[in-house]
Amino acid sequence: MTASTVKGIRPEHEVMTRQRLPYFVGISGQTVGATGLSMHLVVIPPGGRADPHLHVGYETGIYVLEGRVCTRWGASLERETISEAGDFLFIPPGVPHEAINLSDTVPARAVVARNDPAEQDRVEPYAPGR
């Protein structure tokens, strides 16, 4: 597969990520031969949350499709931003964060894009206060 090939992707199954959230991987180096982008769907189950983590060397853009998500961020995860359907969220490289679904009854869904074709290789766990 080369980067000059147009390819449609419909993810059929979820994969569990390093941040312990189910993703439906769409565009990546592995799926379509992308060299500078990955893009997928994340589903945060009702009451679910990501493990605290950071992204080494790449930016992340998120577009919330449904639900309300609290993203806690900072060295001690002391700051927070609430995103809901229709909102975009930008996460710079190296910023510790975690995402929390604010609903106990419905999943939150979002499209996640990164300027890295290996969307999970440089996700690092983060322990606040260490």
Side-chain angles (χ1 to χ4, degrees):
M1 193 173 336
T2 67
S4 61
T5 300
V6 174
K7 175 128 175 102
I9 298 291
R10 181 179 295 267
E12 298 294 334
H13 64 279
E14 67 184 45
V15 296
M16 189 55 66
T17 62
R18 290 183 179 182
Q19 47 280 52
R20 298 182 47 81
L21 288 177
Y23 279 19
F24 292 84
V25 177
I27 297 168
S28 72
Q30 187 176 27
T31 61
V32 300
T35 60
L37 172 72
S38 64
M39 190 173 187
H40 49 273
L41 176 69
V42 63
V43 179
I44 306 175
R49 69 189 315 141
D51 285 351
H53 63 283
L54 54 85
H55 307 148
V56 178
Y58 61 86
E59 299 172 329
T60 301
I62 300 169
Y63 180 74
V64 180
L65 298 168
E66 58 186 15
R68 291 185 74 233
V69 178
C70 175
T71 301
R72 295 178 54 215
W73 59 279
S76 300
L77 303 177
E78 72 280 7
R79 298 178 178 166
E80 66 179 47
T81 300
I82 305 293
S83 303
E84 54 190 36
D87 290 344
F88 287 92
L89 182 68
F90 173 72
I91 302 174
V95 173
H97 62 283
E98 68 178 346
I100 304 162
N101 183 347
L102 294 176
S103 173
D104 290 329
T105 59
V106 296
R109 299 181 203 287
V111 174
V112 179
R114 298 176 172 158
N115 63 332
D116 187 334
E119 51 83 24
Q120 282 291 293
D121 290 355
R122 295 189 294 160
V123 172
E124 297 292 331
Y126 181 78
R130 289 189 192 176

